[in-house]
Amino acid sequence: MDKETPAEKSLNLIRGRLCAPSFVFRPLCASSDSNYSKLKFIVSTSITEGCNNSILLLGPRGSGKAAVLDLVVGDLLQEFPDSVSVIRLNGLLHSDDNCAFKEIARQLCMEHHLLFSKMASLDENSQFIVAMLRECGLAHKTIIFVLDEFDMFAQGKQRLLYSLLDAMQSVTSQAVVIGISSRLDADQLLEKRVRSRFSHRKILFLPPSREEFDGLLEHLLSLPADSSFPSGYVSRFNEKIKNIKSDTRFKDILRTLFNANSTMNSLLKFIFRAVSLMNLESGLLSLENFKAALSSMQRQPKLEAVRDCSILELYLLVCMRRLEVKEQRSYNFISVMKEYKTIHDSFQTSDYYAQNVCLRAFEHLRERQVTCYAENRGQTQTGEYRPMKLLISASELHQGMRSHACCPAILLKLLDH
Amino acid sequence: MLREESPKVTRRSTRSSSSVTVEKPEPNETHLPTVDDLTFGEESISLDAVLSNFPGRRSQIFDLIRLMGPLDCPALPVMIYGGASTGKTSVVLHVLRHLNRPFVYSSCRTCYNPRILFESILNQLLLHRKCSLNGYSSAKRCDKPSDFVNLLRDALSNMVYLILDNVDLIRDWDKGSMILQFLFSLYTVLKMPQLSIILISGLPPDVYYSNMGYTDPLSLYFPEYSEEDLRQIFLRNQANRRLYSAFLDVVLKPFCRVTRSVEELCTTFASLFRKYCEPLDDLGISPNEDMKRRLYSNLKPLIAPCLNEIFRVSSHPRDGDTRGERRQKASCSSENREELEILDFHMSTSAKYLLIAAFLASRNPATLDASMFDSTGGMDNRKRKRKASEKSMEKKEIAEQEAVMKGPGSFPLERLLAIFQCIASVGNSSFGEEEEEEDEDPTGYDKENNNLMSDILLQVSSLCDANFLIKSGSCPLEGSVRYRSMVSEDLALKAARSLNFPLSKYLYRR
């Protein structure tokens, strides 16, 4: 294995940072009114006072709910190494009650070095969990239940939520339930019997402000001075970042990005793309990297789909669009073919192909999800007769055809009237 | 007549086909398989080779390599999307071979449910091979995402790329949206930088948006090939590039207007090029302008018919050739689509009549049968030539639209047979003779209709098998099976013409 260059090393370092949420969210936790401090206060008081608690962390996807919680839990595990144990569930994986109880039992067994039985039934597992809660309560040990994708647990009978929260009603138990959800109305989904047992603490996560993000850029991109990099390289790298950041064009890029989507996730993706475009020879980032990253973030799949179409497929799309303009409520391949023929008859276009070729093109459009069947009923009919609909708007079609490499002028005219 | 999924998967050099040599079960237990065995195993190919293998994919290859980053570098999940046959899978696999990194490849087409998908991934990660010793069982039994995550955590040690192909197929799975959601957030659920995920999808990322909110991976778009790219692709591996280039000059432009899919063009071009070269004795020559012109004029009449067909099925290659020649002659004699008028498959006379009868039964309303097939034969059109008011015109148009939307109607077997007998008796007398010939059956079993009926019923079932007729659900009132004709008007007219049967006279037009 040959020695990696400083450029590769810095790339590795920065990409590693971007992929580690705990590193990204660390600086946002410093202030006293941050979500981190709030959450830590609530959980640590429940640990020290030995009481039960339940909290919901709400916010859009990718706003760092789980990352902040991980930081808090990590710190608490260091602070109270003997009196905290963490059980993690994810709604995507464990929304099924049976599966969820089994997973809790499994993690409890792992934690306390007990033998886990795969064959245990739902009842046995739930009894085991209640017993464990009591035991832990007696030993003054707090169990933190982290329920990611909380809203998924609220589907169905909510048996897991009920039994957890009900077990917490007893004096002996000592547990904290922390739900994470991107649905702001997650607590409204709960049944009455569950809701009454839930203490309605909610912490809202918001996207970072521009100032916070500026600080974050510094934190993510600057190289540490005391590392094994050549000293000149570090200062050059950091200088370059500073230059880019003060550039007005860079500020414009950031503004467009913020206007589109200002969650942490999309910002991180943007930086990741820019960093991966870094020139490995010079080992420095440039403004062009960020520009290219922005343009690759601003994809318009529907326009791309139209641009991918062949001329014949464009003809079919235009025919469908014309039928829609004529206020024909529904249409199928046969009626599209009729329209195609009228166009051919009145304009004598050179692109008039047999029906089976058109049907193939039609199927291509459906495969690419530019069109789809209007309804799922009527599968007794063959594809030609099933009603269809366009999945792109008129303006998208128009724009896509304008930017198409070789769209005939007559098609654009036909689209307009 | 829907086009089936193109059988491209089999032709791709996926790992399962190319790594057979790598993962051969070692009889001696001294060799313990390691993660390094998940690479291609052969010597890695250079970047230039990858680039030259994929003309027109230069920027995508560079983007992919950059997103994957240097060795052992953590990466966010990537989703590669683009239409069929744009080189998504092969580019990924070639890039991995170039970088010589370990990877796991599973296609959601072959792994058609979650359990098979999960087990296939785990088998590859755990270097487990199904063989007779273990009863062809998987390394771990796993059908739930939760188990999969636990097992995956245990199985991962070094950096591995997980490639999931044809992700769009998951949408049709049972509970597919959950599985998709799970795969998209697998990276955040696992929280392990050792696994870097590459999803390959035929559909753009926006079709995966759901109401659950969606953490979209970094996307990388593979656009359809441009005409110039296609030229480069078809020129690769050609023995005589000059000649082929001259051929492409002629055919590429018209065919690109119909489709730009490499797979579809490939089959057409192969047969056309054979035709193109026919006048040449020596395939190694480089053609001059004059020769090019001559070859072009030779090929020109073949292009238009080829543009209008999607595939040609011929049991013998020679058969296809003679047909091509015949077609050529036909198109020489009359410029237009005359050759399409010929019914190009064999069918018995009675089957043709049945076909027409079924077509009529599907298109005409049942109430008009009596007037259509009375002794005068055919409908008197004059009666309907009333001056139509605006309103009735409008109504007519709406009715017509509705008819188009409803498609061919269904009919019971009795009606089909009744119409068949009517039109067969009206039709030319030659059929009657044929019938009499049949009646001279040595068994002398039955001289009358019964014999005919059993033959006809057999024909009906074979028409059903050939998909000219389809059985649709039984009628709730009568309880008998109903049929539906799937024949297009063109084909019905062709069949009628071959029998000299006046079909349009019997067809009810609104």
Side-chain angles (χ1 to χ4, degrees):
Chain A
M1 186 69 230
D2 52 342
K3 191 93 179 74
E4 52 186 357
T5 61
E8 274 183 8
K9 213 168 145 190
S10 61
L11 188 61
N12 240 332
L13 179 75
I14 295 175
R15 282 171 63 127
R17 284 173 177 177
L18 288 169
C19 293
S22 58
F23 183 87
V24 176
F25 286 95
R26 182 57 89 182
L28 297 180
C29 301
S31 75
S32 59
D33 61 340
S34 66
N35 283 331
Y36 169 82
S37 320
K38 286 183 209 161
L39 184 62
K40 193 172 174 192
F41 176 74
I42 297 174
V43 182
S44 61
T45 45
S46 354
I47 293 172
T48 47
E49 291 172 13
C51 59
N52 295 307
N53 224 332
S54 45
I55 313 154
L56 272 183
L57 311 183
L58 305 175
R61 231 159 245 286
S63 51
K65 304 178 289 290
V68 168
L69 178 63
D70 280 348
L71 283 175
V72 169
V73 167
D75 289 356
L76 289 174
L77 279 174
Q78 278 188 347
E79 239 171 271
F80 312 98
D82 298 326
S83 52
V84 178
S85 68
V86 187
I87 306 292
R88 288 170 197 276
L89 295 185
N90 191 316
L92 276 174
L93 311 177
H94 313 110
S95 58
D96 168 32
D97 284 331
N98 199 352
C99 192
F101 278 110
K102 196 180 259 182
E103 179 66 19
I104 295 178
R106 192 188 71 89
Q107 291 192 20
L108 280 172
C109 290
M110 289 263 286
E111 188 89 24
H112 298 95
H113 309 290
L114 299 170
L115 199 65
F116 169 64
S117 156
K118 272 187 186 171
M119 305 302 288
S121 71
L122 181 74
D123 267 350
E124 286 165 338
N125 276 333
S126 91
Q127 277 165 16
F128 171 73
I129 291 166
V130 172
M132 280 302 286
L133 271 173
R134 194 169 52 239
E135 290 296 316
C136 285
L138 290 172
H140 293 292
K141 192 162 183 179
T142 303
I143 301 182
I144 302 178
F145 290 95
V146 178
L147 306 181
D148 205 344
E149 313 281 351
F150 184 76
D151 46 311
M152 301 285 278
F153 290 104
Q155 289 168 355
K157 296 227 170 206
Q158 309 188 350
R159 191 166 165 192
L160 171 80
L161 291 178
Y162 177 73
S163 47
L164 272 186
L165 292 168
D166 194 48
M168 283 163 57
Q169 299 296 310
S170 68
V171 196
T172 47
S173 75
Q174 197 174 329
V176 182
V177 172
I178 304 177
I180 304 177
S181 175
S182 54
R183 280 186 72 162
L184 296 187
D185 64 341
D187 58 332
Q188 302 299 314
L189 298 171
L190 299 176
E191 276 175 29
K192 208 167 142 198
R193 57 171 190 165
V194 179
R195 204 184 307 167
S196 62
R197 288 168 169 80
F198 197 81
S199 60
H200 288 260
R201 277 178 235 276
K202 284 185 253 181
I203 299 182
L204 196 63
F205 282 72
L206 294 172
S209 64
R210 279 298 296 275
E211 292 73 41
E212 278 173 329
F213 185 62
D214 280 344
L216 206 64
L217 262 183
E218 181 85 38
H219 171 67
L220 286 171
L221 291 180
S222 59
L223 295 180
D226 57 334
S227 56
S228 54
F229 291 108
S231 58
Y233 175 70
V234 172
S235 60
R236 258 188 298 140
F237 191 90
N238 291 347
E239 191 61 33
K240 183 81 186 175
I241 300 269
K242 208 173 253 174
N243 279 343
I244 293 172
K245 272 177 63 187
S246 55
D247 197 325
T248 48
R249 283 173 295 171
F250 181 68
K251 283 178 182 151
D252 285 341
I253 291 175
L254 279 192
R255 192 170 314 121
T256 24
L257 191 71
F258 259 84
N259 288 343
N261 184 355
S262 61
T263 58
M264 206 60 177
N265 216 345
S266 84
L267 298 174
L268 287 180
K269 264 181 9 188
F270 166 69
I271 304 175
F272 185 88
R273 269 199 186 263
V275 168
S276 61
L277 289 173
M278 186 169 87
N279 187 348
L280 282 179
E281 271 156 36
S282 69
L284 298 177
L285 282 166
S286 66
L287 190 64
E288 274 65 44
N289 295 156
F290 288 95
K291 259 189 209 158
L294 183 69
S295 68
S296 62
M297 300 276 289
Q298 292 170 323
R299 287 238 169 264
Q300 286 166 305
K302 293 290 181 198
L303 286 189
E304 286 165 351
V306 175
R307 254 173 256 152
D308 273 356
C309 288
S310 67
I311 308 281
L312 173 61
E313 285 157 7
L314 285 183
Y315 264 97
L316 294 180
L317 285 179
V318 168
C319 288
M320 290 172 84
R321 178 65 206 150
R322 279 169 69 93
L323 287 176
E324 276 184 4
V325 170
K326 281 186 198 164
E327 288 182 354
Q328 194 160 324
R329 275 165 299 132
S330 58
Y331 45 83
N332 57 19
F333 176 67
I334 304 292
S335 42
V336 172
M337 281 324 284
K338 262 189 183 165
E339 181 69 20
Y340 181 58
K341 193 167 178 336
T342 22
I343 288 180
H344 172 69
D345 288 346
S346 45
F347 294 95
Q348 289 304 319
T349 55
S350 56
D351 299 277
Y352 188 69
Y353 302 103
Q355 184 152 345
N356 52 359
V357 179
C358 293
L359 187 59
R360 183 178 68 175
F362 205 67
E363 285 298 310
H364 277 305
L365 290 176
R366 201 171 62 79
E367 267 168 32
R368 243 179 264 153
Q369 292 273 306
V370 184
T371 65
C372 73
Y373 291 130
E375 52 198 31
N376 284 328
R377 292 189 294 111
Q379 267 145 354
T380 49
Q381 286 287 16
T382 47
E384 295 111 294
Y385 290 101
R386 289 177 68 180
M388 304 289 298
K389 65 181 176 198
L390 275 179
L391 289 179
I392 49 175
S393 66
S395 63
E396 278 170 332
L397 183 58
H398 214 273
Q399 225 179 323
M401 277 167 56
R402 275 190 193 288
S403 56
H404 193 277
C406 46
C407 172
I410 180 138
L411 267 180
L412 281 169
K413 221 172 77 190
L414 283 169
L415 189 61
D416 288 334
H417 37 79
Chain B
M1 281 187 233
L2 291 178
R3 206 177 66 82
E4 286 295 311
E5 280 292 341
S6 49
K8 62 206 164 210
V9 190
T10 48
R11 243 192 292 149
R12 280 189 184 143
S13 64
T14 57
R15 228 207 42 200
S16 46
S17 62
S18 53
S19 70
V20 178
T21 48
V22 187
E23 287 190 314
K24 226 179 269 171
E26 297 278 320
N28 50 340
E29 289 299 312
T30 50
H31 170 78
L32 276 174
T34 60
V35 182
D36 291 335
D37 285 349
L38 288 174
T39 58
F40 259 108
E42 305 146 48
E43 73 279 27
S44 69
I45 44 176
S46 70
L47 182 59
D48 289 335
V50 179
L51 288 176
S52 68
N53 271 341
F54 296 98
R57 289 286 97 113
R58 193 182 170 82
S59 76
Q60 282 79 17
I61 291 172
F62 276 120
D63 276 352
L64 182 62
I65 292 179
R66 286 204 186 105
L67 284 177
M68 286 165 70
L71 193 68
D72 287 339
C73 189
L76 295 177
V78 179
M79 175 160 152
I80 293 173
Y81 68 99
S85 80
T86 48
K88 303 180 290 293
T89 306
S90 6
V91 164
V92 171
L93 293 174
H94 272 80
V95 162
L96 278 164
R97 186 163 166 200
H98 158 62
L99 297 172
N100 207 12
R101 303 214 180 138
F103 68 96
V104 166
Y105 173 93
S106 287
S107 163
C108 297
R109 197 183 295 279
T110 45
C111 305
Y112 51 86
N113 68 25
R115 186 180 156 193
I116 298 178
L117 179 67
F118 296 155
E119 288 184 359
S120 129
I121 294 170
L122 289 172
N123 282 346
Q124 294 181 58
L125 269 179
L126 296 169
L127 304 155
H128 170 89
R129 266 187 73 87
K130 292 183 182 179
C131 60
S132 54
L133 284 178
N134 52 35
Y136 297 99
S137 62
S138 299
K140 302 273 186 207
R141 203 193 130 81
C142 163
D143 51 2
K144 283 193 187 124
S146 52
D147 299 336
F148 177 63
V149 167
N150 289 335
L151 291 169
L152 197 59
R153 277 211 183 98
D154 298 339
L156 281 175
S157 50
N158 294 37
M159 176 92 177
V160 165
Y161 290 88
L162 172 61
I163 297 158
L164 290 176
D165 205 346
N166 302 108
V167 179
D168 42 316
L169 293 178
I170 300 181
R171 298 191 314 152
D172 302 333
W173 289 5
D174 191 25
K175 287 186 186 164
S177 60
M178 275 294 274
I179 302 288
L180 272 176
Q181 194 74 34
F182 164 68
L183 287 179
F184 280 122
S185 53
L186 179 61
Y187 180 79
T188 42
V189 169
L190 268 181
K191 293 192 186 105
M192 291 177 88
Q194 290 97 311
L195 189 73
S196 114
I197 300 164
I198 299 177
L199 305 170
I200 301 175
S201 151
L203 294 175
D206 59 337
V207 304
Y208 300 106
Y209 295 153
S210 69
N211 56 1
M212 278 192 60
Y214 149 78
T215 47
D216 49 342
L218 298 168
S219 58
L220 183 57
Y221 172 54
F222 277 53
E224 199 83 23
Y225 290 112
S226 71
E227 207 178 302
E228 189 47 43
D229 299 334
L230 285 174
R231 170 181 292 277
Q232 297 300 323
I233 290 168
F234 283 110
L235 274 180
R236 287 187 65 235
N237 305 329
Q238 285 302 330
N240 186 349
R241 289 171 69 101
R242 304 279 287 278
L243 185 67
Y244 205 81
S245 170
F247 167 69
L248 285 180
D249 283 338
V250 181
V251 293
L252 196 55
K253 210 169 181 73
F255 278 92
C256 267
R257 291 179 84 86
V258 179
T259 175
R260 280 192 281 160
S261 156
V262 179
E263 307 230 318
E264 284 160 10
L265 290 177
C266 198
T267 46
T268 327
F269 283 3
S271 63
L272 265 183
F273 186 60
R274 227 178 295 129
K275 282 273 167 318
Y276 186 76
C277 295
E278 243 166 35
L280 296 173
D281 312 321
D282 174 23
L283 289 181
I285 56 154
S286 60
N288 53 13
E289 285 304 313
D290 181 44
M291 167 114 55
K292 274 185 199 168
R293 216 168 299 128
R294 226 153 19 86
L295 287 173
Y296 172 56
S297 59
N298 206 8
L299 189 72
K300 196 181 170 193
L302 288 176
I303 292 179
C306 258
L307 278 173
N308 282 312
E309 63 184 25
I310 46 178
F311 48 68
R312 183 186 300 183
V313 185
S314 57
S315 45
H316 312 288
R318 203 176 295 158
D319 179 41
D321 282 356
T322 51
R323 190 150 27 106
E325 272 164 32
R326 201 204 312 151
R327 184 162 290 170
Q328 190 180 341
K329 275 175 205 154
S331 54
C332 283
S333 59
S334 55
E335 283 295 304
N336 243 333
R337 296 214 173 79
E338 274 302 303
E339 75 279 3
L340 289 179
E341 308 285 297
I342 305 160
L343 197 62
D344 43 8
F345 53 88
H346 175 74
M347 217 180 196
S348 70
T349 315
S350 59
K352 278 179 189 165
Y353 271 109
L354 258 182
L355 197 71
I356 295 169
F359 177 72
L360 285 174
S362 261
R363 292 311 192 275
N364 289 354
T367 45
L368 283 179
D369 277 356
S371 61
M372 288 273 193
F373 302 108
D374 59 3
S375 52
T376 59
M379 194 164 57
D380 191 10
N381 278 329
R382 273 169 301 167
K383 216 164 49 182
R384 299 181 47 80
K385 287 274 167 67
R386 261 192 327 224
K387 193 165 177 358
S389 71
E390 196 132 301
K391 193 147 193 187
S392 71
M393 286 282 274
E394 208 171 89
K395 239 186 216 166
K396 219 172 90 177
E397 211 166 88
I398 291 172
E400 200 172 341
Q401 264 181 34
E402 267 172 14
V404 166
M405 289 311 292
K406 259 185 11 206
S410 64
F411 49 84
L413 185 63
E414 290 79 9
R415 188 169 161 227
L416 173 70
L417 293 178
I419 296 181
F420 169 72
Q421 293 212 319
C422 284
I423 61 173
S425 62
V426 172
N428 56 7
S429 52
S430 68
F431 185 66
E433 285 161 22
E434 208 172 285
E435 210 175 294
E436 274 160 31
E437 274 169 36
E438 273 176 26
D439 278 345
E440 287 162 21
D441 212 38
T443 49
Y445 187 64
D446 200 330
K447 306 262 184 297
E448 295 280 76
N449 277 340
N450 272 344
N451 192 11
L452 171 80
M453 287 311 267
S454 66
D455 266 2
I456 294 308
L457 287 177
L458 199 65
Q459 295 276 12
V460 169
S461 74
S462 65
L463 282 181
C464 275
D465 288 341
N467 226 0
F468 286 125
L469 293 183
I470 57 169
K471 275 185 197 170
S472 57
S474 59
C475 170
L477 286 178
E478 295 167 33
S480 58
V481 180
R482 293 180 76 93
Y483 295 84
R484 203 188 280 275
S485 156
M486 279 299 119
V487 174
S488 70
E489 191 163 345
D490 287 342
L491 185 65
L493 281 172
K494 264 190 237 171
R497 203 167 296 126
S498 68
L499 292 170
N500 288 324
F501 175 76
L503 176 65
S504 48
K505 227 168 108 189
Y506 289 92
L507 202 57
Y508 171 69
R509 306 248 177 225
R510 260 162 268 257

